[in-house]
Amino acid sequence: MMERKKEPVQNILRSLISYYVVPRRLEDRIRVLSARAVSITDPQELNEVNEQLRTLLREHMDRLRRMFASHSVPTERRKSRLEIPI
């Protein structure tokens, strides 16, 4: 009979805390919900998690759009054809 390897109490506590504590960063919340969605078997709960995930992904996309919109893109400067030596 194979003996099960015991996990240290710290690893178990860390796992429980990471599962039940809501992460602050949006990317972390998306990561946690994605992992949770993969493991869910109840269709009702899966729908709820998917809806939360959609909301977070929309928020993330909105943040990215605002971030890119706030940065100015330098205009490309090209020489006219008349200035290029042949």
Side-chain angles (χ1 to χ4, degrees):
M1 187 176 199
M2 229 175 146
E3 243 182 85
R4 280 180 74 178
K5 196 175 185 180
K6 293 183 180 180
E7 280 192 74
V9 176
Q10 292 171 341
N11 288 345
I12 295 170
L13 287 174
R14 191 175 300 123
S15 297
L16 288 172
I17 289 170
S18 66
Y19 182 77
Y20 289 106
V21 173
V22 177
R24 291 183 193 173
R25 291 184 53 219
L26 183 60
E27 292 87 358
D28 292 338
R29 292 187 313 206
I30 291 170
R31 196 172 294 113
V32 168
L33 273 178
S34 298
R36 190 168 159 213
V38 171
S39 65
I40 292 175
T41 56
D42 178 35
Q44 180 64 31
E45 186 180 357
L46 181 60
N47 286 338
E48 292 171 10
V49 169
N50 280 340
E51 187 57 41
Q52 292 172 7
L53 192 53
R54 270 188 229 106
T55 301
L56 291 178
L57 289 171
R58 277 189 212 110
E59 183 180 339
H60 184 61
M61 289 303 297
D62 289 342
R63 284 184 183 184
L64 289 175
R65 284 184 184 111
R66 284 192 306 271
M67 183 178 72
F68 284 113
S70 68
H71 287 85
S72 61
V73 179
T75 57
E76 187 175 337
R77 301 194 74 181
R78 296 183 180 192
K79 292 184 176 184
S80 72
R81 290 183 182 213
L82 298 175
E83 296 176 20
I84 299 175
I86 300 178

